[in-house]
Amino acid sequence: MKRVVITGAGGLIGWHAHARLHAANCAAGFKGRAAPWDIVALDHAAFDDDVALATALKGTDMVLHFAGVNRAADEVVEAANPAIAQRLADALDGWPHVVYANSTHAGGDTPYGRGKARAAEVLSAATPRFTNLILPHIFGEGARPHYNNVTATLIAQVIAGDTPSVNPEGRVNLLHAGAAAGAAIDAASSGLNGDLAPDARDISVPQLLQVLQGFHTLYGANVFPDLSDNFTRQLFNSYRAATYPGGWPRPLTLNSDARGTLFEAVKGGGGGQTFLSTTKPGVTRGDHFHLGKVERFLVVQGEAIIRIRKVLSDEVWEYRVTGDAPAPVDMPTLHTHSIENVGGGDLLTLFWTHDLFDPENPDTYADKVLP
């Protein structure tokens, strides 16, 4: 087992990194194997306590350093990131591999750029095992709108029905938070030293807005966009995550006549896999999460409670659904979920995923929704 410390674990990349390491532990536990990671998640408060910081770093193999300051007065932004880096450097126990989440703005003649560059210098001098992870604009599930994240802000505005005003000449270089977290974990695991700049997607801000508006229009009409492109799927999953918890379940249009009722269960997506299952009364299925898979639950007979919990959090959302009024609930990525038969007879559920099940790479991590 390797001990890994995540600083800034409550932030966007920190949470994604923690979730991925947790997923690896869940996968090992499901197979009856020992957990590969001893995870220590630190927030900003840990840097205010010398003893707590030293204790957390004792015997550490890897440090994923995501903690930092990007919103404050100029003098605070410039000084804070090197100061945090120095605190970390002084508390290191030996020479763990340190990955620093730097920025493409580092070195630029701005308070933020100068501070980020100086922080990298501090850490690279503290250990010979150092990765300078140079990151562009980050987006992903869990990003905060109206807080230094253009994608999350546009998503929130589109969902709210607003018409965002964007710079027609604006461009962003986008990287999913999960990809950034994965790059950090891989770099530390493999002992990669020096600069690392993951590939990102260059896109104009008007084009980004157009894509998000397209998602919103299609999804509102119960149609999935084509999910064959990885970047599109990551962006769609980020959009979907912002529709919870209040946007679900979504009643379907029922077309009924004397013969019975017809409704459209799933449309679009570019393919995928559909399957049905029956569940006995009182039985719960699921209790797992996905990192990238798009999945729909649709009860067509019986009564059920669908439960969803954001990975590494305690709040549980519950949705009561019935086959008498079919209404799908789509599972957000990085949220563990389950479905319980609370009716008196068998529960019949239609499940749909955007891709075919691959037993060698199932993207399914056992994690109970309820304690």
Side-chain angles (χ1 to χ4, degrees):
M1 178 185 289
K2 287 188 174 183
R3 183 177 176 87
V4 54
V5 169
I6 307 170
T7 74
L12 179 59
I13 307 176
W15 174 65
H16 275 260
H18 194 176
R20 275 158 171 71
L21 294 167
H22 174 65
N25 284 348
C26 291
F30 183 74
K31 296 176 181 178
R33 301 172 182 168
W37 300 108
D38 174 19
I39 307 167
V40 180
L42 302 182
D43 58 17
H44 286 277
F47 287 86
D48 298 327
D49 187 329
D50 289 339
V51 174
L53 188 58
T55 300
L57 290 166
K58 188 173 182 58
T60 298
D61 298 289
M62 298 159 41
V63 179
L64 308 181
H65 183 43
F66 303 122
V69 175
N70 56 27
R71 286 173 65 97
D74 285 353
E75 61 273 16
V76 174
V77 168
E78 184 162 0
N81 289 310
I84 293 171
Q86 190 64 62
R87 293 272 291 154
L88 177 63
D90 292 343
L92 290 178
D93 179 30
W95 284 344
H97 195 109
V98 176
V99 179
Y100 174 51
N102 209 334
S103 167
T104 53
H105 297 289
D109 192 21
T110 64
Y112 178 71
R114 292 190 296 267
K116 292 293 281 186
R118 177 61 188 144
E121 293 170 358
V122 169
L123 291 170
S124 65
T127 175
R129 304 172 62 203
F130 175 71
T131 304
N132 185 39
L133 182 63
I134 304 168
L135 299 176
H137 294 87
I138 300 297
F139 72 97
E141 303 90 323
R144 292 170 59 183
H146 311 293
Y147 187 82
N148 219 30
N149 192 296
V150 62
T151 307
T153 300
L154 291 177
I155 287 173
Q157 292 172 321
V158 167
I159 290 174
D162 299 335
T163 303
S165 176
V166 300
N167 178 0
E169 304 301 322
R171 299 196 72 83
V172 285
N173 213 24
L174 292 180
L175 180 69
H176 186 249
I185 295 167
D186 291 344
S189 300
S190 64
L192 177 67
N193 289 318
D195 291 348
L196 174 62
D199 292 335
R201 179 70 65 91
D202 179 73
I203 186 172
S204 73
V205 176
Q207 184 183 359
L208 173 62
L209 174 59
Q210 184 179 31
V211 171
L212 296 173
Q213 289 172 326
F215 289 163
H216 191 62
T217 299
L218 284 174
Y219 211 35
N222 193 34
V223 180
F224 288 89
D226 187 340
L227 300 172
S228 56
D229 173 65
N230 188 51
F231 173 79
T232 299
R233 186 170 64 255
Q234 292 169 339
L235 198 57
F236 181 62
N237 280 336
S238 302
Y239 160 80
R240 287 198 308 125
T243 66
Y244 296 85
W248 299 90
R250 297 188 172 186
L252 296 176
T253 299
L254 305 183
N255 300 294
S256 300
D257 59 23
R259 299 168 297 176
T261 299
L262 179 146
F263 56 87
E264 296 175 329
V266 182
K267 293 187 289 186
Q273 181 174 358
T274 303
F275 52 99
L276 293 167
S277 78
T278 59
T279 304
K280 297 298 182 182
V283 173
T284 297
R285 289 184 179 271
D287 278 328
H288 61 238
F289 65 95
H290 312 293
L291 298 180
K293 188 186 295 291
V294 181
E295 184 176 41
R296 166 163 290 190
F297 286 14
L298 176 60
V299 169
V300 295
Q301 179 180 300
E303 298 180 10
I305 293 178
I306 294 171
R307 297 183 175 92
I308 300 174
R309 175 177 58 79
K310 183 180 179 181
V311 169
L312 306 173
S313 74
D314 297 324
E315 183 182 5
V316 177
W317 308 325
E318 292 192 350
Y319 304 96
R320 194 174 189 102
V321 290
T322 172
D324 292 338
V329 179
D330 294 345
M331 302 302 114
T333 40
L334 291 105
H335 289 68
T336 188
H337 46 270
S338 66
I339 181 167
E340 178 187 3
N341 183 353
V342 294
D346 282 1
L347 178 72
L348 180 63
T349 309
L350 179 148
F351 298 93
W352 176 84
T353 61
H354 84 278
D355 61 355
L356 302 182
F357 180 75
D358 178 3
E360 298 300 318
N361 183 27
D363 186 20
T364 300
Y365 304 94
D367 191 19
K368 285 191 175 296
V369 176
L370 299 177

